[in-house]
Amino acid sequence: MKTNDREELVSYRLKKARETFNEIEILIENKLWNTAVNRLYYSCYYAVNALLIRYEINPKTHAGVRQMLGLHFIKTGLISNENGRFYSVIFDKRLTGDYDDFVDHTKEDVLGLIEPTDKLLSEIESHLRK
C-alpha cells in the first residue's frame, strides 16, 4: 500500500473510531447495554487498527489485532500497560456479550467502560499525531 493511501486509511479508521464511540449516548438512552459494549469494543478496534496500519502490521483476525497490539506497542512501551489491559478486557466483554448465552451487560458495565475507551482512543490518536 502506498504511503498516501495508508495515511488516508489511518485517518479514516480514527474517524470511524470516534464516530462509533459517539454512538454510545444513543445506546445508553435506549438501554441497549450489550450493543453499547459491542460499539465500545469496535471503537477501540478501529483505533488499534489505525495504529497497526500505520506500522504496516496486518493481522487477519480480531485476536491477531490484540496480539499485535501487545507485541508491538504494549511490550515496547509505546502504548501504556493500562490501555493494553483494557483492550483485552473490552475484547473479552464484547465476545461474551455477542456470542455467549444468557450474558446481559448492565448499565454499570457500560458506564465503567466509557472513560477507559476514551483514554485508549486518545493515547492512540496522540501517538499517531507524532
Side-chain angles (χ1 to χ4, degrees):
M1 180 180 296
K2 294 178 187 176
T3 302
N4 287 344
D5 293 341
R6 187 171 45 256
E7 289 306 312
E8 192 172 311
L9 185 53
V10 167
S11 293
Y12 173 77
R13 291 285 169 93
L14 284 176
K15 179 180 176 217
K16 187 130 176 103
R18 280 295 171 186
E19 287 174 351
T20 303
F21 180 74
N22 291 334
E23 294 171 2
I24 298 310
E25 289 180 37
I26 296 166
L27 299 171
I28 289 171
E29 287 172 13
N30 289 285
K31 300 179 182 175
L32 299 169
W33 311 124
N34 283 10
T35 305
V37 170
N38 174 286
R39 301 321 294 157
L40 286 165
Y41 165 75
Y42 270 97
S43 66
C44 294
Y45 174 79
Y46 296 139
V48 171
N49 252 289
L51 186 62
L52 297 177
I53 291 165
R54 165 71 62 80
Y55 289 90
E56 300 182 49
I57 302 167
N58 301 304
K60 303 289 184 227
T61 64
H62 286 255
V65 168
R66 179 171 67 168
Q67 182 179 18
M68 292 299 104
L69 174 67
L71 183 64
H72 294 283
F73 299 95
I74 307 304
K75 283 189 177 185
T76 61
L78 295 171
I79 298 294
S80 70
N81 286 332
E82 177 186 0
N83 280 327
R85 282 189 298 275
F86 173 70
Y87 190 76
S88 288
V89 166
I90 194 81
F91 177 93
D92 291 340
K93 286 188 178 293
R94 193 278 300 194
L95 281 178
T96 60
D98 284 359
Y99 297 109
D100 291 354
D101 293 326
F102 306 111
V103 172
D104 293 310
H105 291 296
T106 65
K107 178 180 182 178
E108 291 73 27
D109 293 334
V110 171
L111 295 178
L113 296 170
I114 292 171
E115 183 180 340
T117 298
D118 190 41
K119 284 182 180 179
L120 175 61
L121 297 182
S122 294
E123 185 174 16
I124 291 172
E125 290 164 339
S126 175
H127 180 78
L128 288 172
R129 279 193 292 268
K130 294 179 184 175

